Amino acid sequence: MNGSPLLLDRAQLDDRSEFRDAVLAGLDSTPRAIPAKFLYDARGSALFDAICELPEYYLTRTEIEILRRFEADIAAMAGPGCALVEYGSGSSVKSRLLIEAMRDLVAYVPIDISRQHLDATANGLRRDYPHLKVEPVCADYMTLARLPADVSAARRRIGFFPGSTIGNLLPVEATAFLCRARGLLGEGGALVLGVDLKKDPRRLHDAYNDAAGVTAQFTLNLLRRMNRELEANFDLSAFAHEAFYNPVEGRIEIYFRCLRPQTVTVAGRSFTFAEGERVHTEYSYKFDDAGIATLARSAGFTIARTWTDPARLFAVVYLVS
Ligand code: AVI
């Protein structure tokens, strides 16, 4: 990971130049912003896993609770002989619940950008479900144009996009993603979508400003990554994580904020940061029923069912074409 560029393989070199181009463009833009996907290097992914376990971060455990409670309903809506297609599968923890509930599943197709994650997950699933056809696809699900041929043998394709990852997309990107998914899932297809709900802003604030500071480490890991991969010289003590709920836009906004004026070198270029200047890293949109319906409609989906927890913190919706 930390080795000389000469030891990087082709894919790593491509990843690194994509990262460099995105960072330089993001630091040249006004306001400054770096796309959220670059938060997930190996350390960032481990930190995100730790976030999911935090007492303040209710999203993961609430969604799992909903899936456990309603997995039989979800399986009944899907019916027999389906293929399950998971967008951004990671370790496929949540999809295991659906795999176990959806008997007669023809195939499981995890889609993930990380080859390492994908292979480990696929091998684990093949071991645990020897009769299930596991067809991993290593791709960016935002641009994926085709599913494996075998999937067309399924009676119906069921997409699965959990975790409220849809909330990290701008509304226009979320619509584009849903349109693409609707096309890939085809006629009779459906999408099981996890969304975080609007709630008391203090609860939202705490979920992104945990007392242990893990979310702050997750944001500031982007600076570490730039230092390591782009020969940058960010002083980590001179920047702070900032996250707040914007009630007008209905979203959490996350930035790293500069605490004292300084000049930083990144990939051979110099960038000056004023005190208080911030660089945007993430949005996390929160939804109400009307917002979910508008989003679904924008891509030609309708909501067939909505499942929530008793406190209405999170929702899992079943969208049909
Ligand atoms: C991955 N995604 C749904 C998380 C969220 O809640 O928006 C990312 C995150 N960033 C900071 N904490 C969690």
Short mmCIF file of all heavy atoms in Angstrom, two decimals, residues 195-252:
data_model
loop_
_atom_site.label_atom_id
_atom_site.label_comp_id
_atom_site.label_asym_id
_atom_site.label_seq_id
_atom_site.Cartn_x
_atom_site.Cartn_y
_atom_site.Cartn_z
N VAL A 195 -33.21 3.67 3.30
CA VAL A 195 -33.08 5.14 3.38
C VAL A 195 -33.17 5.60 4.83
O VAL A 195 -33.99 5.11 5.60
CB VAL A 195 -34.18 5.88 2.55
CG1 VAL A 195 -33.90 5.80 1.08
CG2 VAL A 195 -35.56 5.39 2.85
N ASP A 196 -32.34 6.58 5.15
CA ASP A 196 -32.38 7.16 6.50
C ASP A 196 -33.47 8.24 6.53
O ASP A 196 -33.60 9.03 5.58
CB ASP A 196 -31.01 7.77 6.83
CG ASP A 196 -30.88 8.09 8.31
OD1 ASP A 196 -31.67 7.54 9.12
OD2 ASP A 196 -30.01 8.90 8.67
N LEU A 197 -34.25 8.26 7.61
CA LEU A 197 -35.40 9.17 7.68
C LEU A 197 -35.05 10.48 8.40
O LEU A 197 -34.18 10.51 9.27
CB LEU A 197 -36.56 8.48 8.39
CG LEU A 197 -37.12 7.24 7.67
CD1 LEU A 197 -38.21 6.57 8.51
CD2 LEU A 197 -37.64 7.58 6.28
N LYS A 198 -35.79 11.54 8.05
CA LYS A 198 -35.65 12.82 8.76
C LYS A 198 -36.11 12.61 10.20
O LYS A 198 -37.05 11.85 10.45
CB LYS A 198 -36.51 13.89 8.09
CG LYS A 198 -35.94 14.32 6.77
CD LYS A 198 -36.71 15.48 6.18
CE LYS A 198 -36.01 15.91 4.89
NZ LYS A 198 -36.79 16.87 4.13
N LYS A 199 -35.44 13.28 11.12
CA LYS A 199 -35.76 13.10 12.55
C LYS A 199 -35.23 14.29 13.32
O LYS A 199 -34.70 15.24 12.72
CB LYS A 199 -35.16 11.78 13.05
CG LYS A 199 -33.66 11.71 12.84
CD LYS A 199 -33.07 10.40 13.22
CE LYS A 199 -33.53 9.21 12.41
NZ LYS A 199 -33.10 9.25 10.99
N ASP A 200 -35.30 14.21 14.64
CA ASP A 200 -34.75 15.25 15.52
C ASP A 200 -33.32 15.59 15.07
O ASP A 200 -32.44 14.72 15.09
CB ASP A 200 -34.76 14.68 16.95
CG ASP A 200 -34.16 15.65 17.96
OD1 ASP A 200 -33.66 16.72 17.56
OD2 ASP A 200 -34.17 15.31 19.16
N PRO A 201 -33.07 16.85 14.68
CA PRO A 201 -31.73 17.22 14.19
C PRO A 201 -30.61 16.90 15.18
O PRO A 201 -29.48 16.64 14.75
CB PRO A 201 -31.83 18.73 13.96
CG PRO A 201 -33.28 18.99 13.77
CD PRO A 201 -34.02 17.98 14.60
N ARG A 202 -30.91 16.89 16.50
CA ARG A 202 -29.84 16.58 17.48
C ARG A 202 -29.38 15.13 17.31
O ARG A 202 -28.21 14.81 17.43
CB ARG A 202 -30.33 16.78 18.91
CG ARG A 202 -30.13 18.22 19.38
CD ARG A 202 -30.83 18.41 20.67
NE ARG A 202 -32.20 17.88 20.54
CZ ARG A 202 -33.13 17.93 21.49
NH1 ARG A 202 -32.86 18.42 22.65
NH2 ARG A 202 -34.35 17.45 21.27
N ARG A 203 -30.35 14.26 17.03
CA ARG A 203 -30.02 12.83 16.84
C ARG A 203 -29.14 12.67 15.59
O ARG A 203 -28.17 11.91 15.58
CB ARG A 203 -31.34 12.06 16.68
CG ARG A 203 -31.20 10.59 16.54
CD ARG A 203 -31.43 9.92 17.88
NE ARG A 203 -30.95 8.58 17.88
CZ ARG A 203 -31.68 7.52 18.20
NH1 ARG A 203 -32.94 7.66 18.55
NH2 ARG A 203 -31.15 6.32 18.19
N LEU A 204 -29.51 13.41 14.53
CA LEU A 204 -28.72 13.36 13.30
C LEU A 204 -27.32 13.93 13.55
O LEU A 204 -26.32 13.35 13.12
CB LEU A 204 -29.41 14.18 12.20
CG LEU A 204 -30.68 13.55 11.62
CD1 LEU A 204 -31.42 14.55 10.74
CD2 LEU A 204 -30.34 12.30 10.81
N HIS A 205 -27.27 15.05 14.25
CA HIS A 205 -25.98 15.69 14.53
C HIS A 205 -25.06 14.71 15.27
O HIS A 205 -23.89 14.54 14.92
CB HIS A 205 -26.22 16.96 15.37
CG HIS A 205 -24.96 17.72 15.66
ND1 HIS A 205 -24.16 17.44 16.75
CD2 HIS A 205 -24.34 18.70 14.99
CE1 HIS A 205 -23.11 18.24 16.73
NE2 HIS A 205 -23.19 19.02 15.67
N ASP A 206 -25.61 14.05 16.30
CA ASP A 206 -24.78 13.14 17.10
C ASP A 206 -24.27 11.95 16.29
O ASP A 206 -23.17 11.45 16.53
CB ASP A 206 -25.58 12.62 18.30
CG ASP A 206 -25.84 13.72 19.32
OD1 ASP A 206 -25.27 14.82 19.16
OD2 ASP A 206 -26.62 13.49 20.27
N ALA A 207 -25.09 11.49 15.33
CA ALA A 207 -24.69 10.33 14.53
C ALA A 207 -23.43 10.63 13.70
O ALA A 207 -22.70 9.71 13.32
CB ALA A 207 -25.83 9.89 13.63
N TYR A 208 -23.20 11.92 13.40
CA TYR A 208 -22.05 12.30 12.57
C TYR A 208 -21.00 13.09 13.36
O TYR A 208 -20.05 13.62 12.80
CB TYR A 208 -22.54 13.10 11.34
CG TYR A 208 -23.39 12.21 10.45
CD1 TYR A 208 -24.75 12.07 10.67
CD2 TYR A 208 -22.81 11.46 9.43
CE1 TYR A 208 -25.53 11.22 9.90
CE2 TYR A 208 -23.57 10.61 8.64
CZ TYR A 208 -24.92 10.48 8.89
OH TYR A 208 -25.68 9.64 8.11
N ASN A 209 -21.21 13.16 14.70
CA ASN A 209 -20.25 13.82 15.60
C ASN A 209 -20.13 12.96 16.85
O ASN A 209 -20.44 13.40 17.96
CB ASN A 209 -20.74 15.23 15.97
CG ASN A 209 -20.70 16.18 14.79
OD1 ASN A 209 -19.65 16.72 14.45
ND2 ASN A 209 -21.84 16.38 14.14
N ASP A 210 -19.69 11.71 16.67
CA ASP A 210 -19.66 10.77 17.80
C ASP A 210 -18.63 11.19 18.84
O ASP A 210 -17.60 11.80 18.52
CB ASP A 210 -19.35 9.36 17.28
CG ASP A 210 -18.00 9.31 16.58
OD1 ASP A 210 -17.92 9.77 15.43
OD2 ASP A 210 -17.03 8.85 17.19
N ALA A 211 -18.93 10.82 20.08
CA ALA A 211 -18.08 11.23 21.21
C ALA A 211 -16.68 10.66 21.10
O ALA A 211 -15.70 11.29 21.52
CB ALA A 211 -18.74 10.79 22.51
N ALA A 212 -16.55 9.46 20.52
CA ALA A 212 -15.21 8.83 20.44
C ALA A 212 -14.36 9.42 19.31
O ALA A 212 -13.17 9.11 19.20
CB ALA A 212 -15.39 7.32 20.24
N GLY A 213 -14.97 10.23 18.45
CA GLY A 213 -14.20 10.89 17.39
C GLY A 213 -13.87 9.99 16.20
O GLY A 213 -12.97 10.31 15.41
N VAL A 214 -14.59 8.89 16.04
CA VAL A 214 -14.28 7.98 14.92
C VAL A 214 -14.67 8.63 13.58
O VAL A 214 -13.94 8.52 12.59
CB VAL A 214 -15.01 6.62 15.09
CG1 VAL A 214 -14.64 5.68 13.96
CG2 VAL A 214 -14.67 5.99 16.43
N THR A 215 -15.80 9.35 13.57
CA THR A 215 -16.21 9.99 12.31
C THR A 215 -15.21 11.09 11.93
O THR A 215 -14.91 11.29 10.75
CB THR A 215 -17.64 10.56 12.44
OG1 THR A 215 -18.48 9.54 12.99
CG2 THR A 215 -18.18 10.98 11.09
N ALA A 216 -14.67 11.77 12.94
CA ALA A 216 -13.63 12.78 12.67
C ALA A 216 -12.40 12.11 12.04
O ALA A 216 -11.84 12.61 11.06
CB ALA A 216 -13.26 13.51 13.96
N GLN A 217 -12.02 10.96 12.58
CA GLN A 217 -10.86 10.24 12.00
C GLN A 217 -11.14 9.82 10.56
O GLN A 217 -10.26 9.84 9.71
CB GLN A 217 -10.57 8.98 12.81
CG GLN A 217 -9.90 9.20 14.13
CD GLN A 217 -9.59 7.84 14.75
OE1 GLN A 217 -8.91 7.01 14.14
NE2 GLN A 217 -10.11 7.60 15.94
N PHE A 218 -12.40 9.43 10.33
CA PHE A 218 -12.82 8.99 8.98
C PHE A 218 -12.65 10.16 7.99
O PHE A 218 -12.09 9.99 6.90
CB PHE A 218 -14.28 8.52 9.06
CG PHE A 218 -14.91 8.12 7.77
CD1 PHE A 218 -14.48 7.00 7.07
CD2 PHE A 218 -15.99 8.85 7.25
CE1 PHE A 218 -15.10 6.62 5.88
CE2 PHE A 218 -16.61 8.46 6.07
CZ PHE A 218 -16.17 7.35 5.38
N THR A 219 -13.10 11.35 8.39
CA THR A 219 -12.97 12.52 7.50
C THR A 219 -11.50 12.87 7.31
O THR A 219 -11.02 13.07 6.18
CB THR A 219 -13.73 13.73 8.10
OG1 THR A 219 -15.10 13.38 8.25
CG2 THR A 219 -13.61 14.95 7.21
N LEU A 220 -10.76 12.92 8.42
CA LEU A 220 -9.36 13.37 8.33
C LEU A 220 -8.45 12.32 7.68
O LEU A 220 -7.34 12.63 7.24
CB LEU A 220 -8.84 13.77 9.72
CG LEU A 220 -9.58 14.98 10.33
CD1 LEU A 220 -9.04 15.29 11.72
CD2 LEU A 220 -9.49 16.22 9.44
N ASN A 221 -8.95 11.09 7.58
CA ASN A 221 -8.19 10.05 6.87
C ASN A 221 -7.95 10.43 5.40
O ASN A 221 -7.00 9.99 4.78
CB ASN A 221 -8.93 8.71 6.97
CG ASN A 221 -8.16 7.60 6.30
OD1 ASN A 221 -7.00 7.36 6.62
ND2 ASN A 221 -8.78 6.95 5.33
N LEU A 222 -8.86 11.27 4.88
CA LEU A 222 -8.68 11.73 3.49
C LEU A 222 -7.37 12.54 3.37
O LEU A 222 -6.67 12.44 2.35
CB LEU A 222 -9.90 12.59 3.11
CG LEU A 222 -10.12 12.89 1.65
CD1 LEU A 222 -10.08 11.65 0.77
CD2 LEU A 222 -11.46 13.60 1.48
N LEU A 223 -7.04 13.30 4.41
CA LEU A 223 -5.78 14.07 4.39
C LEU A 223 -4.58 13.11 4.44
O LEU A 223 -3.60 13.28 3.73
CB LEU A 223 -5.72 15.04 5.57
CG LEU A 223 -6.90 16.00 5.74
CD1 LEU A 223 -6.64 16.94 6.91
CD2 LEU A 223 -7.13 16.80 4.50
N ARG A 224 -4.71 12.10 5.30
CA ARG A 224 -3.64 11.08 5.38
C ARG A 224 -3.44 10.41 4.02
O ARG A 224 -2.33 10.16 3.59
CB ARG A 224 -4.04 9.94 6.32
CG ARG A 224 -3.80 10.19 7.76
CD ARG A 224 -4.25 8.92 8.49
NE ARG A 224 -4.38 9.17 9.89
CZ ARG A 224 -3.44 8.88 10.79
NH1 ARG A 224 -2.34 8.27 10.41
NH2 ARG A 224 -3.63 9.15 12.05
N ARG A 225 -4.59 10.10 3.39
CA ARG A 225 -4.51 9.42 2.08
C ARG A 225 -3.81 10.31 1.06
O ARG A 225 -2.98 9.84 0.27
CB ARG A 225 -5.92 9.03 1.61
CG ARG A 225 -5.89 8.31 0.30
CD ARG A 225 -7.24 7.75 -0.13
NE ARG A 225 -7.05 7.03 -1.39
CZ ARG A 225 -8.01 6.53 -2.13
NH1 ARG A 225 -9.27 6.64 -1.73
NH2 ARG A 225 -7.75 5.90 -3.25
N MET A 226 -4.13 11.62 1.08
CA MET A 226 -3.47 12.54 0.14
C MET A 226 -1.97 12.62 0.46
O MET A 226 -1.14 12.64 -0.46
CB MET A 226 -4.13 13.92 0.21
CG MET A 226 -5.52 13.93 -0.38
SD MET A 226 -6.22 15.59 -0.54
CE MET A 226 -6.96 15.82 1.05
N ASN A 227 -1.64 12.65 1.75
CA ASN A 227 -0.21 12.70 2.13
C ASN A 227 0.52 11.47 1.60
O ASN A 227 1.62 11.57 1.06
CB ASN A 227 -0.07 12.74 3.66
CG ASN A 227 -0.36 14.14 4.21
OD1 ASN A 227 -0.55 15.09 3.43
ND2 ASN A 227 -0.41 14.27 5.52
N ARG A 228 -0.12 10.30 1.73
CA ARG A 228 0.55 9.05 1.36
C ARG A 228 0.58 8.84 -0.15
O ARG A 228 1.61 8.51 -0.73
CB ARG A 228 -0.18 7.89 2.03
CG ARG A 228 0.54 6.57 1.95
CD ARG A 228 -0.25 5.46 2.61
NE ARG A 228 -1.53 5.25 1.97
CZ ARG A 228 -2.70 5.43 2.56
NH1 ARG A 228 -2.77 5.82 3.82
NH2 ARG A 228 -3.83 5.22 1.91
N GLU A 229 -0.58 9.06 -0.80
CA GLU A 229 -0.67 8.69 -2.21
C GLU A 229 -0.33 9.83 -3.17
O GLU A 229 -0.02 9.58 -4.33
CB GLU A 229 -2.08 8.17 -2.52
CG GLU A 229 -2.39 6.87 -1.80
CD GLU A 229 -3.73 6.27 -2.23
OE1 GLU A 229 -4.24 6.62 -3.30
OE2 GLU A 229 -4.24 5.43 -1.47
N LEU A 230 -0.45 11.08 -2.71
CA LEU A 230 -0.23 12.22 -3.62
C LEU A 230 0.94 13.09 -3.16
O LEU A 230 1.04 14.25 -3.55
CB LEU A 230 -1.52 13.06 -3.72
CG LEU A 230 -2.80 12.29 -4.14
CD1 LEU A 230 -3.97 13.25 -4.23
CD2 LEU A 230 -2.59 11.56 -5.47
N GLU A 231 1.77 12.51 -2.31
CA GLU A 231 2.91 13.25 -1.77
C GLU A 231 2.51 14.63 -1.27
O GLU A 231 3.16 15.64 -1.55
CB GLU A 231 4.04 13.34 -2.79
CG GLU A 231 4.85 12.05 -2.84
CD GLU A 231 5.28 11.68 -4.24
OE1 GLU A 231 5.61 12.60 -5.00
OE2 GLU A 231 5.25 10.47 -4.54
N ALA A 232 1.40 14.69 -0.55
CA ALA A 232 0.94 15.95 0.04
C ALA A 232 1.57 16.10 1.42
O ALA A 232 2.13 15.14 1.96
CB ALA A 232 -0.58 15.95 0.15
N ASN A 233 1.49 17.31 1.97
CA ASN A 233 2.07 17.53 3.32
C ASN A 233 1.06 18.22 4.24
O ASN A 233 1.39 19.20 4.90
CB ASN A 233 3.39 18.30 3.23
CG ASN A 233 3.23 19.65 2.57
OD1 ASN A 233 2.16 19.96 2.05
ND2 ASN A 233 4.27 20.47 2.61
N PHE A 234 -0.18 17.71 4.24
CA PHE A 234 -1.18 18.24 5.17
C PHE A 234 -0.71 17.98 6.60
O PHE A 234 -0.30 16.85 6.93
CB PHE A 234 -2.53 17.53 4.97
CG PHE A 234 -3.31 18.04 3.80
CD1 PHE A 234 -3.30 17.34 2.59
CD2 PHE A 234 -4.08 19.20 3.89
CE1 PHE A 234 -4.03 17.80 1.50
CE2 PHE A 234 -4.80 19.65 2.81
CZ PHE A 234 -4.79 18.96 1.61
N ASP A 235 -0.82 19.01 7.46
CA ASP A 235 -0.59 18.85 8.90
C ASP A 235 -1.96 18.50 9.50
O ASP A 235 -2.85 19.35 9.55
CB ASP A 235 -0.03 20.17 9.44
CG ASP A 235 0.01 20.20 10.96
OD1 ASP A 235 -0.37 19.19 11.59
OD2 ASP A 235 0.41 21.24 11.50
N LEU A 236 -2.13 17.25 9.91
CA LEU A 236 -3.45 16.79 10.36
C LEU A 236 -3.97 17.58 11.56
O LEU A 236 -5.17 17.72 11.74
CB LEU A 236 -3.44 15.30 10.66
CG LEU A 236 -3.89 14.42 9.48
CD1 LEU A 236 -2.91 14.44 8.34
CD2 LEU A 236 -4.13 12.99 9.95
N SER A 237 -3.04 18.13 12.36
CA SER A 237 -3.49 18.87 13.55
C SER A 237 -4.04 20.25 13.16
O SER A 237 -4.61 20.95 13.99
CB SER A 237 -2.35 19.02 14.55
OG SER A 237 -1.41 19.96 14.04
N ALA A 238 -3.87 20.64 11.91
CA ALA A 238 -4.33 21.98 11.48
C ALA A 238 -5.70 21.92 10.81
O ALA A 238 -6.16 22.93 10.26
CB ALA A 238 -3.30 22.58 10.54
N PHE A 239 -6.33 20.77 10.82
CA PHE A 239 -7.66 20.62 10.20
C PHE A 239 -8.59 19.88 11.15
O PHE A 239 -8.15 19.04 11.94
CB PHE A 239 -7.56 19.85 8.87
CG PHE A 239 -6.86 20.62 7.79
CD1 PHE A 239 -5.48 20.57 7.68
CD2 PHE A 239 -7.58 21.43 6.92
CE1 PHE A 239 -4.82 21.31 6.71
CE2 PHE A 239 -6.93 22.17 5.94
CZ PHE A 239 -5.54 22.11 5.83
N ALA A 240 -9.87 20.20 11.07
CA ALA A 240 -10.85 19.54 11.94
C ALA A 240 -12.05 19.06 11.12
O ALA A 240 -12.41 19.67 10.10
CB ALA A 240 -11.33 20.53 13.01
N HIS A 241 -12.64 17.98 11.60
CA HIS A 241 -13.88 17.45 11.01
C HIS A 241 -15.03 18.39 11.38
O HIS A 241 -15.11 18.88 12.50
CB HIS A 241 -14.10 16.07 11.63
CG HIS A 241 -15.50 15.53 11.55
ND1 HIS A 241 -16.02 14.94 10.42
CD2 HIS A 241 -16.49 15.48 12.48
CE1 HIS A 241 -17.25 14.54 10.65
NE2 HIS A 241 -17.57 14.86 11.89
N GLU A 242 -15.92 18.65 10.42
CA GLU A 242 -17.11 19.47 10.72
C GLU A 242 -18.32 18.81 10.06
O GLU A 242 -18.29 18.50 8.87
CB GLU A 242 -16.91 20.87 10.13
CG GLU A 242 -18.09 21.78 10.42
CD GLU A 242 -17.81 23.22 9.94
OE1 GLU A 242 -16.83 23.82 10.42
OE2 GLU A 242 -18.55 23.69 9.09
N ALA A 243 -19.36 18.54 10.86
CA ALA A 243 -20.58 17.92 10.30
C ALA A 243 -21.78 18.58 10.96
O ALA A 243 -21.80 18.78 12.18
CB ALA A 243 -20.59 16.42 10.59
N PHE A 244 -22.77 18.95 10.15
CA PHE A 244 -23.98 19.56 10.72
C PHE A 244 -25.18 19.23 9.83
O PHE A 244 -25.01 18.89 8.65
CB PHE A 244 -23.82 21.08 10.86
CG PHE A 244 -23.53 21.78 9.56
CD1 PHE A 244 -24.56 22.18 8.71
CD2 PHE A 244 -22.22 22.01 9.17
CE1 PHE A 244 -24.30 22.80 7.49
CE2 PHE A 244 -21.95 22.62 7.94
CZ PHE A 244 -22.99 23.03 7.11
N TYR A 245 -26.36 19.34 10.40
CA TYR A 245 -27.59 19.09 9.64
C TYR A 245 -28.05 20.40 9.03
O TYR A 245 -28.20 21.41 9.72
CB TYR A 245 -28.66 18.51 10.55
CG TYR A 245 -29.93 18.16 9.79
CD1 TYR A 245 -29.90 17.20 8.77
CD2 TYR A 245 -31.14 18.81 10.05
CE1 TYR A 245 -31.04 16.88 8.05
CE2 TYR A 245 -32.29 18.48 9.34
CZ TYR A 245 -32.22 17.51 8.33
OH TYR A 245 -33.35 17.21 7.61
N ASN A 246 -28.29 20.39 7.72
CA ASN A 246 -28.84 21.54 7.01
C ASN A 246 -30.34 21.27 6.80
O ASN A 246 -30.71 20.46 5.94
CB ASN A 246 -28.10 21.70 5.67
CG ASN A 246 -28.67 22.82 4.82
OD1 ASN A 246 -29.81 23.22 4.98
ND2 ASN A 246 -27.85 23.31 3.91
N PRO A 247 -31.22 21.91 7.60
CA PRO A 247 -32.64 21.56 7.54
C PRO A 247 -33.30 22.01 6.24
O PRO A 247 -34.31 21.43 5.83
CB PRO A 247 -33.24 22.30 8.75
CG PRO A 247 -32.27 23.38 9.08
CD PRO A 247 -30.92 22.96 8.58
N VAL A 248 -32.75 23.02 5.59
CA VAL A 248 -33.34 23.50 4.34
C VAL A 248 -33.15 22.45 3.24
O VAL A 248 -34.08 22.10 2.50
CB VAL A 248 -32.72 24.86 3.93
CG1 VAL A 248 -33.27 25.32 2.58
CG2 VAL A 248 -32.98 25.89 5.02
N GLU A 249 -31.94 21.91 3.17
CA GLU A 249 -31.65 20.90 2.15
C GLU A 249 -32.00 19.49 2.62
O GLU A 249 -31.99 18.55 1.82
CB GLU A 249 -30.16 20.95 1.77
CG GLU A 249 -29.69 22.29 1.21
CD GLU A 249 -30.27 22.58 -0.18
OE1 GLU A 249 -30.79 21.66 -0.82
OE2 GLU A 249 -30.22 23.75 -0.58
N GLY A 250 -32.25 19.32 3.92
CA GLY A 250 -32.58 18.00 4.45
C GLY A 250 -31.39 17.04 4.37
O GLY A 250 -31.56 15.86 4.02
N ARG A 251 -30.20 17.56 4.74
CA ARG A 251 -29.01 16.69 4.61
C ARG A 251 -27.97 17.05 5.66
O ARG A 251 -27.87 18.21 6.10
CB ARG A 251 -28.39 16.85 3.21
CG ARG A 251 -27.80 18.22 2.96
CD ARG A 251 -27.40 18.44 1.51
NE ARG A 251 -26.81 19.78 1.35
CZ ARG A 251 -26.69 20.42 0.20
NH1 ARG A 251 -27.15 19.87 -0.92
NH2 ARG A 251 -26.13 21.62 0.15
N ILE A 252 -27.21 16.04 6.05
CA ILE A 252 -25.98 16.27 6.81
C ILE A 252 -24.92 16.72 5.81
O ILE A 252 -24.84 16.19 4.70
CB ILE A 252 -25.53 14.95 7.50
CG1 ILE A 252 -26.46 14.57 8.66
CG2 ILE A 252 -24.08 15.03 7.95
CD1 ILE A 252 -26.26 15.37 9.95
#
